[in-house]
């Protein structure tokens, strides 16, 4: 455990390195500030969704560019060699880069505008903080899912440029697929297609259920299932096949 | 670096809160909005109006002039989408007007409906799918008062009594409160200072 | 004698390239073993497999009695210096060393000692990317020493340094071996460096171990030497005046050292100090061409 914490300290010095990360934080916090003040948001879960919708986009692009390329750079520059030369298992090193390159940046980028909104809209958010946090958790799951895909791409791509391009491509492909399913589903009046399009956004499913709209169980499980599969694929690749060169 | 993450977040959040106070002073939220529109129904067998509380909660009062029958549905989700989806049952929209009032957290719009008049009369049959309610106006005028939560909307479909249908809408925000501007500036300042003090403490350890 | 590294019949392939072909090697505790060979001989691959950074296709590897690929405990007390001195860039070096020490389970005193031993004092609070090439290498050595190592694995530790810095780093390895009993496995393609520090020499070429043993024994069998230089005529004169029978062929000077390897390297050092550039020193033996090369002065 001590090794994991200390290696997270070392790796986060690169993954959360200022000023790029701080600039991103101040931009999305300011956006959160603007969104929280220019409209009369009356309910905590609505506040969380309004603040986090644009933030998720920004956080995901950041993870694609900085996270994925960061991992590829880690391998390119030889720092992965240093990590793997510590008396720490590959399982632990995978966990460390997962925390440092995916969970911490995604969580921090989503939480900072949410904190701003919580202060500005304190009388509203304090009425039901749990629903505010639940919506945040749903967005975090979505961001971490994208981040996990980017991490896997960064490990496989090995070059920073390829990792960024592949990550951005996958991100847009995912969203375009969801959009196309929605359009085609509406045009063909196919409920299953529109339901699948909706289910590709975990936060939307959680939000809709909070509005009282019926959401099927599989729609809740789709994104977490993708997340688990990608983590498993990354874990198996890193612990059994990955070789820094 | 990770040790300094919390003070970094605090400093930036504090700055953003101060910014929020300035934005609130310049372009703060509204708690009330009124709107009206008149739709030519001489060549259309119906008219529709929709209100969607996308970020606020509130009470909407809609009055309709020139209506023979009014069907209205309260929807969880965006009724703009429902309005567009009317095309799937061969009801098309004409003379569409759509206003998105971000400062009131509400979007509203109206349109003429081009369709077979029988289809409009059949709308209540959808009641087992969506909760369509019917109002029979007295003397061609009627008004509705509906409470909307954030993310909810209302769709009103009117069978006209003559050549024009006039919608008037008033929306009053409920349940919204934010911290006072001065308190925001003070708390933003405090949060930033707390972040700096925390940072200094970490450095001196 | 306790063996700290055991490599037996190890094979490794990268696509169409057979990087290692049945390599076997043993490192005794307390020894300095030099791994010598030209670029592409498989030295780095072998060291990476010994450290568990890479899988082997076949064969056995034991680091402190454990399989390094499967058991991270095998790397306890193993310090590593990579060819390119790379560490996370933006963290002050001392903070990084403290974190590394906590990972290895060593103390803050060990960090201070590593900084002093590596000659990094006065620069330890700078971020790694603010250091010069020589200081970066020193930081990398300090990083290897915070583990309070029983074994130091150094892959071409002097490759990016000027001659003065090279000498300091090599002296440090010898000193640590003498003072702490530190076992050192050092790779290089520069003959004179490895000869200077090693008690045992392993010569690799094209993925195989070609020769192994004490330096005098190993080099004793390699008498035909080809030196590539910027000024073959001047070098020929220096060699002739030292009693060697040499002949010039293009930019190469070839000679039979007849066991006088130490004398040859003295002449080459003198030549380098006079401004001659020595591009490479190849030991040419039947079936063993270009075993060693790349001495650049």
């Amino acid at each position: 455990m001590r090794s994991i914490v200390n290696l997270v300290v070392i790796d986060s010095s690169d993954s959360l390195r200022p000023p790029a990360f701080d600039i991103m934080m101040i931009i999305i916090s300011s956006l959160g500030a603007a969104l929280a003040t220019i409209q009369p948001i009356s309910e905590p879960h609505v506040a969380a969704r309004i603040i986090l919708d644009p933030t998720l986009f920004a956080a995901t692009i950041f993870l694609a560019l900085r996270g994925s390329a960061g991992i590829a750079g880690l391998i390119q520059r030889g720092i992965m060699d240093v990590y793997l030369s510590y008396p720490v298992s590959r399982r632990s090193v995978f966990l460390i880069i997962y925390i440092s390159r995916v969970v911490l940046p995604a969580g921090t980028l989503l939480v900072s505008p949410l904190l701003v909104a919580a202060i500005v809209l304190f009388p509203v958010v304090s009425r039901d903080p749990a629903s505010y946090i639940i919506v945040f958790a749903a967005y975090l799951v979505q961001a971490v899912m994208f981040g996990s895909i980017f991490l896997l791409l960064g490990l496989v791509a090995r070059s920073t440029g390829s990792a960024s391009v592949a990550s951005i491509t996958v991100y847009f492909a995912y969203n375009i697929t969801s959009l196309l399913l929605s359009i085609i589903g509406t045009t063909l009046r196919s409920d299953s297609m529109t339901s699948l399009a909706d289910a590709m956004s975990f936060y939307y499913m959680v939000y809709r259920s909070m509005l009282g709209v019926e959401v099927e169980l599989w729609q809740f499980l789709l994104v977490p299932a993708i997340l688990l599969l990608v983590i498993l694929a990354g874990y198996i690749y890193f612990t059994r096949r990955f070789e820094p060169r | 670096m990770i040790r300094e993450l919390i003070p970094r977040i605090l400093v930036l959040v504090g700055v953003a809160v101060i910014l929020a106070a300035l934005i609130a002073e310049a372009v703060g939220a509204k708690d009330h909005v009124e709107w009206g529109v008149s739709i030519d129904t001489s060549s259309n067998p119906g008219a529709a109006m929709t209100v969607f509380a996308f970020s606020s909660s509130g009470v909407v009062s809609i009055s309709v002039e020139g209506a023979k029958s009014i069907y209205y549905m309260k929807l969880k989700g965006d009724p703009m989408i429902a309005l567009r989806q009317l095309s799937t049952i061969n009801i098309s929209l004409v003379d569409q007007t759509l206003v998105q009032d971000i400062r009131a957290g509400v979007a509203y719009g109206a349109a003429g409906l081009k369709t077979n008049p029988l289809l409009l009369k059949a709308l209540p049959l959808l009641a087992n799918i969506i909760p369509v309610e019917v109002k029979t106006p007295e003397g061609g005028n009627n008004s509705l008062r509906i409470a909307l939560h954030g993310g909810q909307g209302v769709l009103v479909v009117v069978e006209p009594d003559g050549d024009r249908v006039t919608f008037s809408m008033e929306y009053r925000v409920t349940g919204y409160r934010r911290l006072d501007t001065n308190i925001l500036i003070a708390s933003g300042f405090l949060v930033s200072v707390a972040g700096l003090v925390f940072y200094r403490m970490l450095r001196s350890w | 004698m306790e063996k700290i590294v055991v490599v037996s019949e190890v094979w490794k392939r990268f696509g169409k390239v057979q990087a290692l072909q049945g390599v076997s090697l043993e490192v005794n505790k307390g020894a300095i073993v030099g791994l010598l060979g030209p670029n592409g001989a498989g030295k780095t691959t072998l060291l990476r497999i010994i450290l568990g950074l890479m899988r082997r296709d076949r064969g056995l590897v034991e680091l402190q009695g454990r399989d390094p690929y499967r058991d991270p405990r095998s790397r306890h007390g193993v310090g590593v210096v990579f060819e390119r001195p790379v560490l996370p860039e933006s963290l002050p070096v001392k903070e990084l060393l403290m974190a590394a020490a906590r990972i290895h389970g060593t103390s803050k005193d060990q960090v201070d000692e590593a900084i002093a031993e590596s000659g990094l004092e006065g620069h330890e609070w700078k971020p790694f990317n603010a250091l010069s090439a020589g200081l970066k290498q020193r930081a990398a050595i300090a990083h290897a020493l915070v583990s309070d190592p029983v074994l130091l694995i150094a892959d071409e530790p002097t490759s990016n340094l000027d001659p003065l810095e090279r000498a300091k780093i090599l002296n440090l390895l010898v000193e640590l071996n003498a003072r702490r009993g530190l076992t050192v496995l050092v790779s290089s393609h520069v003959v004179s460096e490895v000869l200077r520090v090693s008690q045992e020499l392993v010569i690799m070429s094209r993925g195989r171990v070609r020769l192994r043993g004490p330096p005098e024994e190993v080099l004793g069998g390699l008498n035909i030497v080809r030196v590539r230089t910027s000024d073959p005529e001047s070098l020929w004169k220096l060699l002739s005046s030292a009693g060697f029978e040499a002949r010039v062929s293009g930019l190469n000077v070839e000679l039979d050292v007849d066991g006088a390897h130490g004398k040859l390297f003295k002449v080459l050092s003198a030549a380098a100090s006079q401004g001659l550039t020595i591009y490479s020193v190849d030991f040419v033996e039947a079936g063993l061409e270009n075993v060693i090369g790349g001495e650049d002065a």
Side-chain angles (χ1 to χ4, degrees):
Chain A
M1 190 63 194
R2 184 188 56 197
S3 303
I4 291 174
V5 171
N6 283 291
L7 205 39
V8 167
V9 168
I10 292 174
D11 194 48
S12 63
S13 72
D14 186 49
S15 65
L16 306 178
R17 190 175 64 232
F21 191 74
D22 297 58
I23 290 170
M24 195 69 186
M25 261 205 295
I26 190 72
I27 289 172
I28 57 177
S29 298
S30 304
L31 182 65
L35 290 171
T37 44
I38 60 170
Q39 49 196 327
I41 305 171
S42 311
E43 286 163 280
H45 59 282
V46 179
R49 180 168 185 208
I50 284 171
I51 305 301
L52 291 177
D53 255 349
T55 307
L56 177 68
F57 173 74
T60 312
I61 294 293
F62 184 87
L63 285 176
L65 293 176
R66 185 79 182 262
S68 181
I71 290 157
L74 207 65
I75 300 163
Q76 254 183 340
R77 283 180 288 149
I79 293 176
M80 187 65 91
D81 292 349
V82 177
Y83 293 172
L84 289 173
S85 71
Y86 287 131
V88 176
S89 66
R90 282 183 172 237
R91 197 173 42 224
S92 302
V93 175
F94 180 75
L95 177 68
I96 286 151
I97 58 171
Y98 192 74
I99 292 171
S100 166
R101 305 276 163 174
V102 179
V103 180
L104 267 177
T108 309
L109 288 174
L110 292 181
V111 101
S112 49
L114 214 62
L115 278 176
V116 175
I119 294 171
V120 174
L121 296 172
F122 181 74
V124 172
V125 173
S126 60
R127 282 205 296 265
D128 185 7
S131 65
Y132 196 66
I133 292 166
I134 288 169
V135 176
F136 160 72
Y139 274 85
L140 185 62
V141 167
Q142 189 86 17
V144 166
M145 181 204 71
F146 283 125
S148 307
I149 296 173
F150 303 156
L151 179 137
L152 185 57
L153 292 172
L155 285 174
V156 176
R158 304 283 180 96
S159 96
T160 52
S162 312
S164 301
V165 171
S167 299
I168 295 282
T169 306
V170 167
Y171 173 64
F172 281 109
Y174 186 91
N175 285 316
I176 288 167
T177 305
S178 169
L179 185 67
L180 284 177
L181 282 171
S182 175
I183 292 169
I184 296 169
T186 307
T187 311
L188 301 178
R189 291 178 219 171
S190 162
D191 279 349
S192 54
M193 283 178 110
T194 49
S195 299
L196 180 59
D198 290 344
M200 289 173 79
S201 302
F202 179 65
Y203 53 92
Y204 186 49
M205 295 297 94
V206 171
Y207 180 73
R208 277 173 63 123
S209 70
M210 291 174 101
L211 291 180
V213 180
E214 200 180 318
V215 175
E216 289 180 56
L217 182 64
W218 72 266
Q219 290 185 291
F220 272 122
L221 294 180
L222 181 69
V223 168
I226 296 173
L227 171 63
L228 284 177
L229 275 177
V230 176
I231 292 177
L232 195 64
Y235 174 79
I236 290 172
Y237 176 72
F238 190 79
T239 52
R240 299 198 184 162
R241 298 223 55 84
F242 175 77
E243 291 186 334
R245 260 194 256 174
Chain B
M1 220 51 79
I2 195 171
R3 282 195 318 167
E4 286 115 34
L5 188 60
I6 291 170
R8 276 159 75 192
I9 293 174
L10 287 177
V11 170
L12 296 175
V13 163
V15 171
V17 168
I18 294 169
L19 188 71
L22 301 176
I23 296 169
E25 276 304 290
V27 277
K30 294 193 293 191
D31 61 358
H32 172 237
V33 62
E34 287 179 22
W35 185 68
V37 66
S38 186
I39 292 176
D40 181 3
T41 49
S42 56
S43 54
N44 305 322
M49 183 184 180
T50 176
V51 179
F52 175 45
F54 62 81
S55 64
S56 61
S57 295
V59 176
V60 61
S61 303
I62 301 170
S63 70
V64 188
E65 287 177 31
K68 191 195 288 178
S69 302
I70 300 172
Y71 311 111
Y72 66 97
M73 292 148 256
K74 194 170 162 183
L75 299 170
K76 290 164 182 167
D78 188 350
M80 305 294 171
I81 294 170
L83 198 60
R84 284 194 287 276
Q85 283 177 341
L86 288 175
S87 66
T88 61
I89 52 168
N90 292 326
I91 300 176
S92 55
L93 306 176
V94 289
D95 303 331
Q96 202 177 340
T97 320
L98 189 64
V99 180
Q100 189 163 20
D101 193 336
I102 290 175
R103 291 178 64 197
V106 68
Y108 41 85
L113 301 179
K114 224 177 179 62
T115 184
N116 184 335
L118 288 174
L119 253 179
L120 287 186
K121 287 188 193 300
L123 269 179
L125 298 176
L126 295 172
N128 58 342
I129 305 166
I130 45 174
V132 179
E133 295 193 37
V134 183
K135 258 199 156 181
T136 310
E138 291 168 13
N141 298 328
N142 213 320
S143 62
L144 308 164
R145 195 179 148 82
I146 297 163
L148 296 175
H149 284 289
Q152 290 183 336
V154 62
L155 173 64
V156 181
V157 176
V158 172
E159 190 187 344
D161 198 20
D163 287 349
R164 291 203 88 74
V165 170
T166 304
F167 292 103
S168 304
M169 187 275 291
E170 188 190 15
Y171 178 77
R172 286 196 173 275
V173 174
T174 55
Y176 168 67
R177 262 182 68 209
R178 67 163 173 84
L179 288 185
D180 178 70
T181 304
N182 291 332
I183 296 175
L184 275 182
I185 292 174
S187 46
F189 184 73
L190 273 177
V191 171
S192 282
V193 169
L196 289 172
V197 170
F198 193 8
Y199 181 78
R200 288 297 297 248
M201 281 165 59
L202 285 175
R203 283 271 127 195
S204 61
W205 278 348
Chain C
M1 186 78 70
E2 191 184 341
K3 291 177 180 27
I4 200 160
V5 177
V6 177
V7 176
S8 175
E9 276 297 308
V10 167
W11 293 72
K12 177 71 183 175
R13 173 182 282 278
F14 297 116
K16 289 180 180 169
V17 180
Q18 188 68 54
L20 296 180
Q21 306 184 55
V23 170
S24 297
L25 172 78
E26 285 168 357
V27 177
N28 292 325
K29 202 165 184 181
I32 302 184
V33 177
L35 200 55
L36 198 56
N39 290 329
K43 305 186 296 292
T44 299
T45 304
L46 177 62
L47 293 182
R48 283 164 170 266
I49 286 176
I50 290 172
L51 280 166
L53 302 186
M54 281 182 174
R55 275 173 297 123
R56 58 199 182 266
D57 297 336
R58 265 195 286 157
L60 172 95
V61 178
E62 278 184 5
L63 179 60
Q64 302 193 85
R66 294 186 157 97
D67 180 345
Y69 190 77
R70 298 184 196 289
D71 192 343
R73 288 174 297 174
S74 62
R75 290 186 290 272
H76 259 298
V78 176
V80 188
V81 180
F82 292 100
E83 184 178 357
R84 274 185 305 160
V86 181
L87 291 173
E89 289 175 352
S90 48
L91 207 58
V93 173
K94 184 151 185 182
E95 270 187 43
L96 172 72
L97 298 181
M98 298 283 278
R102 285 191 289 267
I103 292 169
H104 285 286
T106 51
S107 66
K108 187 182 172 297
D109 292 344
Q110 185 64 37
V111 173
D112 294 332
E113 202 180 318
I115 289 170
E117 281 180 328
S118 61
L120 197 66
E121 277 163 323
H123 304 280
E124 67 266 36
W125 286 109
K126 290 178 187 166
F128 183 74
N129 58 1
L131 299 177
S132 66
L135 285 171
K136 276 183 179 168
Q137 193 64 292
R138 285 173 181 278
I141 289 172
H143 181 256
L145 296 179
V146 291
S147 61
D148 191 13
V150 287
L151 169 66
L152 182 75
I153 294 182
D155 185 10
E156 310 250 6
T158 59
S159 64
N160 299 310
L161 301 177
D162 60 52
L164 197 66
E165 285 291 338
R166 285 179 179 195
K168 284 182 185 168
I169 300 290
L170 293 171
N171 288 342
L172 178 64
L173 296 183
V174 175
E175 194 189 313
L176 287 170
N177 170 261
R179 191 154 44 84
R180 284 193 187 186
L182 179 71
T183 311
V184 180
L185 177 57
V186 57
S187 84
S188 178
H189 61 268
V190 183
V191 186
S192 58
E193 280 185 356
V194 178
L195 280 178
R196 203 171 122 188
V197 298
S198 305
Q199 296 151 4
E200 195 185 336
L201 210 56
V202 177
I203 296 184
M204 284 187 75
S205 165
R206 293 181 191 143
R208 291 179 195 274
V209 171
R210 303 290 180 161
L211 292 166
R212 212 166 87 187
E216 59 279 7
E217 203 177 283
V218 170
L219 292 180
L222 292 170
N223 287 317
I224 308 297
V225 176
R226 187 189 296 140
V227 184
R228 195 169 172 79
T229 175
S230 56
D231 187 352
E233 293 301 330
S234 302
L235 183 62
W236 178 84
K237 278 180 197 160
L238 284 170
L239 288 167
S240 299
S241 61
F244 286 110
E245 256 183 48
R247 67 184 180 87
V248 175
S249 163
L251 284 178
N252 295 329
V253 180
E254 283 185 9
L255 67 154
D256 184 342
V257 289
D258 196 21
H261 295 86
K263 193 166 140 191
L264 168 68
F265 286 108
K266 275 185 190 153
V267 175
L268 294 180
S269 294
S273 64
Q274 285 175 26
L276 259 76
T277 305
I278 309 292
Y279 297 122
S280 63
V281 181
D282 296 338
F283 286 75
V284 187
E285 201 75 347
L288 194 60
E289 292 228 341
N290 298 333
V291 166
I292 315 159
E295 159 123 357
D296 35 15

